[in-house]
Amino acid sequence: KKMDTKVMKLVNEGENNNDTNFCTVISLAVAFGKTYAESNDYLRANAGRRKRKGLSRDKFEYAIKKLADTSGYGYDVYDSNHVRDGSIRVNCHRPRSAVSVQEKFGIRGKMTVNNCLRYLSPKKNYIIGVRGHAVGVAGGKVLDWTEGRRHQVQQIIELTPNESYIEPIVEPIIKKASMSLEDMISSL
C-alpha cells in the first residue's frame, strides 16, 4: 500500500533534517495534528529526544500525557495481555493499566496494526505501541508504514477530545480600527 500523503510529508521533513528513528515524532504529530518540527521540538524539550535517536516508552508516554493535559485531551493507556517478550512493564509515571487492550476493546485474540481499526473509534486519536515502534491513528486511519501489517499491538494510548475544553484565545493588545480615519472624522 502507498503511505498517506500527510505521513509522507512528515517522513520527508524528518529525512530532509537528516534525522532517523523518528516514529515517536511522527506518531505524536499524527495524533495531535502537529507538524514534524512542532512534534520534534516538543519531544526534545519534554522527553529529551535527540536527533537520530528513538525514545524509551516511559519517556514518550510521559510527554504524551503532558501534551494531552495541556491540549484538552483525555488520556487512557491500555497494555496488551498478549505480549510474548515481556517488554511491557510498570512505568514510573503511572500505575499499570487495570484494563487490558483485550478487555477494553472486546478482543478475543491479539490486536494487530492490521485489525485495530475494527475496534478503535474513528472519533478518537490513538498512539499504538508495537515492538520497537510507535504508530499514529487519527480520523479512523492508521497513518504509518505499518498499515495493513500484522505487527502485534503491545500498548494503546487513547486520546479523547475533551468537549468542554476551550482553546485559549489570544486577543491583540491594540485592536485595528474597522474604518478609516476619514470615515471616523466624517461620522462626527
Side-chain angles (χ1 to χ4, degrees):
K1 285 185 174 182
K2 190 177 177 191
M3 260 197 290
D4 185 79
T5 55
K6 179 179 181 169
V7 177
M8 283 303 301
K9 184 179 177 184
L10 293 167
V11 169
N12 288 337
E13 201 172 334
E15 289 173 348
N16 290 340
N17 288 320
N18 199 23
D19 201 358
T20 58
N21 298 317
F22 48 73
C23 65
T24 53
V25 176
I26 291 176
S27 63
L28 190 82
V30 165
F32 286 95
K34 298 202 171 291
T35 66
Y36 181 90
E38 290 170 336
S39 296
N40 190 40
D41 291 346
Y42 181 82
L43 290 175
R44 285 177 60 214
N46 294 282
R49 182 180 188 272
R50 295 187 327 239
K51 193 173 194 174
R52 295 188 214 115
K53 299 286 183 189
L55 284 173
S56 68
R57 185 170 286 187
D58 59 334
K59 284 183 180 179
F60 185 46
E61 189 178 318
Y62 174 78
I64 295 167
K65 177 162 180 25
K66 190 173 178 182
L67 185 58
D69 289 343
T70 60
S71 300
Y73 282 91
Y75 171 92
D76 290 298
V77 179
Y78 306 100
D79 294 329
S80 176
N81 61 15
H82 288 287
V83 178
R84 69 175 165 225
D85 65 0
S87 65
I88 292 192
R89 62 192 186 287
V90 177
N91 290 331
C92 59
H93 303 297
R94 69 171 171 85
R96 189 173 185 123
S97 175
V99 179
S100 72
V101 168
Q102 286 73 18
E103 292 166 325
K104 165 68 177 168
F105 299 102
I107 302 168
R108 294 212 171 148
K110 298 174 184 176
M111 183 186 280
T112 65
V113 176
N114 184 41
N115 71 11
C116 69
L117 294 180
R118 294 181 201 161
Y119 307 102
L120 303 179
S121 169
K123 295 179 181 179
K124 297 179 182 180
N125 293 350
Y126 302 88
I127 295 177
I128 296 176
V130 298
R131 189 173 184 207
H133 189 61
V135 179
V137 178
K141 289 183 181 180
V142 173
L143 299 173
D144 191 72
W145 65 268
T146 59
E147 178 189 7
R149 299 196 183 195
R150 294 184 181 173
H151 294 265
Q152 184 181 335
V153 172
Q154 294 184 343
Q155 182 181 56
I156 295 178
I157 298 174
E158 182 179 62
L159 302 166
T160 307
N162 185 347
E163 303 299 327
S164 63
Y165 177 77
I166 300 170
E167 185 76 33
I169 299 170
V170 179
E171 295 278 339
I173 295 171
I174 300 172
K175 292 193 175 188
K176 187 176 177 182
S178 60
M179 57 173 79
S180 68
L181 184 60
E182 293 82 25
D183 290 340
M184 284 184 203
I185 294 171
S186 65
S187 67
L188 295 174

